[in-house]
Amino acid sequence: MNSAKLNRDAPSGTIDTAFVLKFEPLYVLTDLESEIFSDIGPKTRTRESYKRKHFLKVAEWKAIGVLPGLEKISSDDIDFVTGVALDEDTPNRFRLTLLRMLPGVGVPMASTLLTVVNPKKFSIMDSRALTVLHDFDLVTTDNPTQMDYQTYRKLMKSLAKGANCAPIDLYRALIAYSQQERD
């Protein structure tokens, strides 16, 4: 195992197939996350907007700290905003910004909402994933509010393609790596 600690010297090696094969299996897939990607994501993709209960399930998994605030958002607002953000005619560059119009929805939650619906096209952007990418000198910041989502998404797609995996598998490998490095 790499002895470099997060936020110190850049780790040796690269984020490639070997990295994903080593760390993705260490990721703990919860029942809630499994349900979100196997059931809620496909239903939301077909419906083309989030139902409130599905939106809140995603929040329960990804944004538990702000869940009480998200619970105050009306069903109509969730349906409308997510419907516009997920509409096939909406340019990708506007999707994250549209979702962030919902009170309490930050970059990690907005990127998660997109990823749940289309995990081959979008990537979850949070500080843990960014910290690993930053430590590998692949991004200039580990702060999701300072990173352009489209730049991040393109990097994740490129890295996933190079690693022969889906962006969600790469994300899970990054999270598992970050947890290993903290231990």
Side-chain angles (χ1 to χ4, degrees):
M1 165 92 133
N2 187 329
S3 62
K5 294 292 179 205
L6 293 179
N7 299 322
R8 295 199 182 147
D9 297 329
S12 61
T14 57
I15 296 177
D16 57 10
T17 304
F19 178 91
V20 174
L21 288 174
K22 180 176 181 179
F23 291 102
E24 198 272 339
L26 302 176
Y27 182 86
V28 177
L29 185 67
T30 65
D31 290 342
L32 178 58
E33 183 180 354
S34 181
E35 175 190 357
I36 287 167
F37 280 95
S38 66
D39 185 44
I40 292 172
K43 284 180 180 175
T44 302
R45 185 171 35 257
T46 300
R47 185 175 192 265
E48 297 180 341
S49 69
Y50 273 89
K51 286 184 175 182
R52 185 173 189 277
K53 69 179 182 178
H54 293 157
F55 174 87
L56 293 174
K57 280 264 191 181
V58 174
E60 181 185 336
W61 171 57
K62 189 63 183 164
I64 193 80
V66 295
L67 184 58
L70 297 176
E71 289 173 334
K72 295 176 184 173
I73 303 171
S74 74
S75 296
D76 289 343
D77 286 354
I78 291 168
D79 183 56
F80 178 78
V81 172
T82 63
V84 174
L86 298 177
D87 186 278
E88 66 180 43
D89 293 331
T90 299
N92 287 334
R93 68 184 180 277
F94 296 129
R95 295 178 193 277
L96 191 88
T97 303
L98 287 164
L99 291 169
R100 292 192 65 209
M101 291 174 63
L102 293 167
V105 174
V107 173
M109 178 66 179
S111 64
T112 301
L113 291 166
L114 293 172
T115 303
V116 166
V117 173
N118 194 339
K120 292 180 180 173
K121 184 175 185 177
F122 297 102
S123 294
I124 299 170
M125 183 166 80
D126 64 22
S127 60
R128 297 168 302 165
L130 274 178
T131 296
V132 175
L133 294 173
H134 184 259
D135 287 349
F136 275 84
D137 292 326
L138 295 170
V139 296
T140 58
T141 183
D142 59 3
N143 185 338
T145 62
Q146 295 176 355
M147 178 78 195
D148 174 66
Y149 180 70
Q150 293 308 313
T151 302
Y152 173 83
R153 187 176 73 81
K154 288 174 184 172
L155 172 63
M156 289 292 284
K157 252 182 122 171
S158 174
L159 289 171
K161 183 178 180 182
N164 230 2
C165 68
I168 190 66
D169 298 323
L170 174 60
Y171 171 78
R172 290 172 177 157
L174 293 172
I175 298 307
Y177 176 88
S178 76
Q179 292 168 335
Q180 293 290 309
E181 290 297 301
R182 278 187 286 152
D183 293 342

mmCIF file of all heavy atoms in Angstrom, residues 49-74:
data_model
loop_
_atom_site.group_PDB
_atom_site.id
_atom_site.type_symbol
_atom_site.label_atom_id
_atom_site.label_comp_id
_atom_site.label_asym_id
_atom_site.label_seq_id
_atom_site.Cartn_x
_atom_site.Cartn_y
_atom_site.Cartn_z
ATOM 1 N N SER A 49 -37.910 13.219 -13.913
ATOM 2 C CA SER A 49 -37.819 14.135 -12.773
ATOM 3 C C SER A 49 -37.857 13.278 -11.509
ATOM 4 O O SER A 49 -38.282 12.123 -11.541
ATOM 5 C CB SER A 49 -38.959 15.163 -12.764
ATOM 6 O OG SER A 49 -40.192 14.548 -12.478
ATOM 7 N N TYR A 50 -37.392 13.873 -10.410
ATOM 8 C CA TYR A 50 -37.400 13.152 -9.135
ATOM 9 C C TYR A 50 -38.741 13.300 -8.442
ATOM 10 O O TYR A 50 -39.288 14.397 -8.364
ATOM 11 C CB TYR A 50 -36.317 13.705 -8.202
ATOM 12 C CG TYR A 50 -34.968 13.083 -8.385
ATOM 13 C CD1 TYR A 50 -34.062 13.605 -9.298
ATOM 14 C CD2 TYR A 50 -34.594 11.970 -7.649
ATOM 15 C CE1 TYR A 50 -32.811 13.041 -9.466
ATOM 16 C CE2 TYR A 50 -33.347 11.396 -7.817
ATOM 17 C CZ TYR A 50 -32.459 11.935 -8.729
ATOM 18 O OH TYR A 50 -31.223 11.365 -8.892
ATOM 19 N N LYS A 51 -39.261 12.200 -7.930
ATOM 20 C CA LYS A 51 -40.356 12.266 -6.966
ATOM 21 C C LYS A 51 -39.726 12.739 -5.661
ATOM 22 O O LYS A 51 -38.563 12.454 -5.381
ATOM 23 C CB LYS A 51 -40.980 10.884 -6.746
ATOM 24 C CG LYS A 51 -41.844 10.401 -7.871
ATOM 25 C CD LYS A 51 -42.475 9.067 -7.466
ATOM 26 C CE LYS A 51 -43.447 8.585 -8.500
ATOM 27 N NZ LYS A 51 -44.080 7.327 -8.090
ATOM 28 N N ARG A 52 -40.479 13.403 -4.846
ATOM 29 C CA ARG A 52 -39.971 13.917 -3.574
ATOM 30 C C ARG A 52 -39.365 12.804 -2.720
ATOM 31 O O ARG A 52 -38.279 12.948 -2.176
ATOM 32 C CB ARG A 52 -41.092 14.625 -2.815
ATOM 33 C CG ARG A 52 -40.630 15.289 -1.537
ATOM 34 C CD ARG A 52 -41.772 16.125 -0.922
ATOM 35 N NE ARG A 52 -41.268 16.931 0.177
ATOM 36 C CZ ARG A 52 -41.098 16.481 1.414
ATOM 37 N NH1 ARG A 52 -41.390 15.224 1.715
ATOM 38 N NH2 ARG A 52 -40.636 17.275 2.358
ATOM 39 N N LYS A 53 -40.078 11.670 -2.620
ATOM 40 C CA LYS A 53 -39.576 10.581 -1.768
ATOM 41 C C LYS A 53 -38.250 10.034 -2.296
ATOM 42 O O LYS A 53 -37.375 9.664 -1.520
ATOM 43 C CB LYS A 53 -40.618 9.471 -1.611
ATOM 44 C CG LYS A 53 -40.901 8.656 -2.855
ATOM 45 C CD LYS A 53 -41.930 7.570 -2.586
ATOM 46 C CE LYS A 53 -42.171 6.736 -3.828
ATOM 47 N NZ LYS A 53 -43.110 5.660 -3.606
ATOM 48 N N HIS A 54 -38.066 9.997 -3.604
ATOM 49 C CA HIS A 54 -36.802 9.518 -4.169
ATOM 50 C C HIS A 54 -35.691 10.550 -3.983
ATOM 51 O O HIS A 54 -34.550 10.197 -3.675
ATOM 52 C CB HIS A 54 -36.970 9.172 -5.649
ATOM 53 C CG HIS A 54 -37.852 7.989 -5.867
ATOM 54 N ND1 HIS A 54 -38.512 7.765 -7.047
ATOM 55 C CD2 HIS A 54 -38.195 6.952 -5.055
ATOM 56 C CE1 HIS A 54 -39.218 6.644 -6.965
ATOM 57 N NE2 HIS A 54 -39.041 6.140 -5.754
ATOM 58 N N PHE A 55 -36.042 11.816 -4.155
ATOM 59 C CA PHE A 55 -35.102 12.908 -3.908
ATOM 60 C C PHE A 55 -34.579 12.833 -2.473
ATOM 61 O O PHE A 55 -33.371 12.925 -2.226
ATOM 62 C CB PHE A 55 -35.827 14.241 -4.165
ATOM 63 C CG PHE A 55 -35.044 15.466 -3.830
ATOM 64 C CD1 PHE A 55 -34.185 16.035 -4.751
ATOM 65 C CD2 PHE A 55 -35.204 16.083 -2.593
ATOM 66 C CE1 PHE A 55 -33.470 17.199 -4.435
ATOM 67 C CE2 PHE A 55 -34.501 17.234 -2.266
ATOM 68 C CZ PHE A 55 -33.627 17.798 -3.199
ATOM 69 N N LEU A 56 -35.495 12.623 -1.525
ATOM 70 C CA LEU A 56 -35.106 12.561 -0.119
ATOM 71 C C LEU A 56 -34.310 11.294 0.211
ATOM 72 O O LEU A 56 -33.451 11.311 1.095
ATOM 73 C CB LEU A 56 -36.330 12.690 0.788
ATOM 74 C CG LEU A 56 -37.013 14.070 0.738
ATOM 75 C CD1 LEU A 56 -38.299 14.067 1.563
ATOM 76 C CD2 LEU A 56 -36.057 15.177 1.191
ATOM 77 N N LYS A 57 -34.547 10.205 -0.504
ATOM 78 C CA LYS A 57 -33.729 8.986 -0.314
ATOM 79 C C LYS A 57 -32.301 9.253 -0.733
ATOM 80 O O LYS A 57 -31.350 8.835 -0.054
ATOM 81 C CB LYS A 57 -34.293 7.815 -1.135
ATOM 82 C CG LYS A 57 -35.452 7.128 -0.520
ATOM 83 C CD LYS A 57 -34.970 5.920 0.233
ATOM 84 C CE LYS A 57 -36.177 5.084 0.616
ATOM 85 N NZ LYS A 57 -35.820 3.927 1.365
ATOM 86 N N VAL A 58 -32.131 9.947 -1.865
ATOM 87 C CA VAL A 58 -30.778 10.306 -2.317
ATOM 88 C C VAL A 58 -30.130 11.220 -1.280
ATOM 89 O O VAL A 58 -28.963 11.044 -0.933
ATOM 90 C CB VAL A 58 -30.802 10.952 -3.722
ATOM 91 C CG1 VAL A 58 -29.418 11.449 -4.114
ATOM 92 C CG2 VAL A 58 -31.329 9.959 -4.759
ATOM 93 N N ALA A 59 -30.887 12.165 -0.763
ATOM 94 C CA ALA A 59 -30.375 13.067 0.270
ATOM 95 C C ALA A 59 -29.998 12.305 1.538
ATOM 96 O O ALA A 59 -28.988 12.606 2.181
ATOM 97 C CB ALA A 59 -31.397 14.151 0.585
ATOM 98 N N GLU A 60 -30.803 11.314 1.890
ATOM 99 C CA GLU A 60 -30.505 10.494 3.077
ATOM 100 C C GLU A 60 -29.150 9.812 2.914
ATOM 101 O O GLU A 60 -28.391 9.666 3.871
ATOM 102 C CB GLU A 60 -31.612 9.461 3.259
ATOM 103 C CG GLU A 60 -31.442 8.563 4.461
ATOM 104 C CD GLU A 60 -32.515 7.484 4.528
ATOM 105 O OE1 GLU A 60 -33.609 7.663 3.959
ATOM 106 O OE2 GLU A 60 -32.243 6.441 5.163
ATOM 107 N N TRP A 61 -28.843 9.391 1.692
ATOM 108 C CA TRP A 61 -27.563 8.724 1.435
ATOM 109 C C TRP A 61 -26.419 9.726 1.328
ATOM 110 O O TRP A 61 -25.362 9.532 1.914
ATOM 111 C CB TRP A 61 -27.651 7.903 0.142
ATOM 112 C CG TRP A 61 -26.331 7.361 -0.314
ATOM 113 C CD1 TRP A 61 -25.479 6.554 0.400
ATOM 114 C CD2 TRP A 61 -25.687 7.599 -1.562
ATOM 115 N NE1 TRP A 61 -24.346 6.263 -0.338
ATOM 116 C CE2 TRP A 61 -24.464 6.900 -1.555
ATOM 117 C CE3 TRP A 61 -26.029 8.325 -2.701
ATOM 118 C CZ2 TRP A 61 -23.579 6.910 -2.634
ATOM 119 C CZ3 TRP A 61 -25.157 8.328 -3.769
ATOM 120 C CH2 TRP A 61 -23.953 7.630 -3.729
ATOM 121 N N LYS A 62 -26.627 10.812 0.604
ATOM 122 C CA LYS A 62 -25.512 11.692 0.270
ATOM 123 C C LYS A 62 -25.431 12.954 1.106
ATOM 124 O O LYS A 62 -24.345 13.499 1.280
ATOM 125 C CB LYS A 62 -25.605 12.073 -1.227
ATOM 126 C CG LYS A 62 -24.407 12.806 -1.745
ATOM 127 C CD LYS A 62 -23.187 11.930 -1.669
ATOM 128 C CE LYS A 62 -21.962 12.674 -2.115
ATOM 129 N NZ LYS A 62 -20.761 12.007 -1.703
ATOM 130 N N ALA A 63 -26.552 13.458 1.605
ATOM 131 C CA ALA A 63 -26.540 14.776 2.247
ATOM 132 C C ALA A 63 -27.286 14.757 3.576
ATOM 133 O O ALA A 63 -28.103 15.628 3.852
ATOM 134 C CB ALA A 63 -27.162 15.798 1.295
ATOM 135 N N ILE A 64 -26.995 13.770 4.392
ATOM 136 C CA ILE A 64 -27.715 13.590 5.653
ATOM 137 C C ILE A 64 -27.658 14.840 6.532
ATOM 138 O O ILE A 64 -28.609 15.159 7.230
ATOM 139 C CB ILE A 64 -27.213 12.328 6.415
ATOM 140 C CG1 ILE A 64 -28.171 11.960 7.554
ATOM 141 C CG2 ILE A 64 -25.817 12.510 6.944
ATOM 142 C CD1 ILE A 64 -29.375 11.222 7.125
ATOM 143 N N GLY A 65 -26.556 15.576 6.454
ATOM 144 C CA GLY A 65 -26.397 16.775 7.281
ATOM 145 C C GLY A 65 -27.383 17.882 6.944
ATOM 146 O O GLY A 65 -27.741 18.678 7.805
ATOM 147 N N VAL A 66 -27.804 17.949 5.693
ATOM 148 C CA VAL A 66 -28.745 18.995 5.279
ATOM 149 C C VAL A 66 -30.142 18.439 5.017
ATOM 150 O O VAL A 66 -31.024 19.161 4.562
ATOM 151 C CB VAL A 66 -28.232 19.777 4.040
ATOM 152 C CG1 VAL A 66 -26.959 20.545 4.378
ATOM 153 C CG2 VAL A 66 -28.025 18.874 2.851
ATOM 154 N N LEU A 67 -30.345 17.169 5.319
ATOM 155 C CA LEU A 67 -31.635 16.520 5.073
ATOM 156 C C LEU A 67 -32.809 17.274 5.695
ATOM 157 O O LEU A 67 -33.829 17.463 5.021
ATOM 158 C CB LEU A 67 -31.602 15.061 5.544
ATOM 159 C CG LEU A 67 -32.849 14.216 5.278
ATOM 160 C CD1 LEU A 67 -33.177 14.167 3.782
ATOM 161 C CD2 LEU A 67 -32.658 12.805 5.819
ATOM 162 N N PRO A 68 -32.720 17.764 6.941
ATOM 163 C CA PRO A 68 -33.869 18.496 7.504
ATOM 164 C C PRO A 68 -34.277 19.701 6.643
ATOM 165 O O PRO A 68 -35.470 19.958 6.465
ATOM 166 C CB PRO A 68 -33.386 18.932 8.884
ATOM 167 C CG PRO A 68 -32.347 17.904 9.247
ATOM 168 C CD PRO A 68 -31.656 17.574 7.948
ATOM 169 N N GLY A 69 -33.322 20.409 6.091
ATOM 170 C CA GLY A 69 -33.640 21.538 5.217
ATOM 171 C C GLY A 69 -34.236 21.080 3.899
ATOM 172 O O GLY A 69 -35.175 21.704 3.375
ATOM 173 N N LEU A 70 -33.710 19.987 3.354
ATOM 174 C CA LEU A 70 -34.210 19.470 2.087
ATOM 175 C C LEU A 70 -35.629 18.936 2.223
ATOM 176 O O LEU A 70 -36.405 18.981 1.272
ATOM 177 C CB LEU A 70 -33.285 18.372 1.554
ATOM 178 C CG LEU A 70 -31.851 18.814 1.216
ATOM 179 C CD1 LEU A 70 -31.022 17.620 0.786
ATOM 180 C CD2 LEU A 70 -31.835 19.902 0.162
ATOM 181 N N GLU A 71 -35.974 18.459 3.414
ATOM 182 C CA GLU A 71 -37.327 17.958 3.658
ATOM 183 C C GLU A 71 -38.373 19.064 3.569
ATOM 184 O O GLU A 71 -39.557 18.785 3.397
ATOM 185 C CB GLU A 71 -37.396 17.265 5.024
ATOM 186 C CG GLU A 71 -36.661 15.935 5.039
ATOM 187 C CD GLU A 71 -36.575 15.306 6.418
ATOM 188 O OE1 GLU A 71 -36.621 16.041 7.436
ATOM 189 O OE2 GLU A 71 -36.449 14.066 6.484
ATOM 190 N N LYS A 72 -37.951 20.324 3.656
ATOM 191 C CA LYS A 72 -38.874 21.460 3.585
ATOM 192 C C LYS A 72 -39.215 21.841 2.145
ATOM 193 O O LYS A 72 -40.132 22.628 1.917
ATOM 194 C CB LYS A 72 -38.277 22.661 4.311
ATOM 195 C CG LYS A 72 -38.110 22.431 5.801
ATOM 196 C CD LYS A 72 -37.437 23.601 6.469
ATOM 197 C CE LYS A 72 -37.188 23.289 7.943
ATOM 198 N NZ LYS A 72 -36.399 24.339 8.590
ATOM 199 N N ILE A 73 -38.490 21.298 1.170
ATOM 200 C CA ILE A 73 -38.742 21.632 -0.231
ATOM 201 C C ILE A 73 -40.022 20.930 -0.686
ATOM 202 O O ILE A 73 -40.208 19.737 -0.439
ATOM 203 C CB ILE A 73 -37.556 21.214 -1.125
ATOM 204 C CG1 ILE A 73 -36.256 21.867 -0.642
ATOM 205 C CG2 ILE A 73 -37.822 21.588 -2.579
ATOM 206 C CD1 ILE A 73 -35.010 21.334 -1.342
ATOM 207 N N SER A 74 -40.875 21.660 -1.354
ATOM 208 C CA SER A 74 -42.158 21.088 -1.791
ATOM 209 C C SER A 74 -41.965 20.078 -2.922
ATOM 210 O O SER A 74 -41.001 20.152 -3.691
ATOM 211 C CB SER A 74 -43.097 22.202 -2.268
ATOM 212 O OG SER A 74 -42.676 22.685 -3.527
#
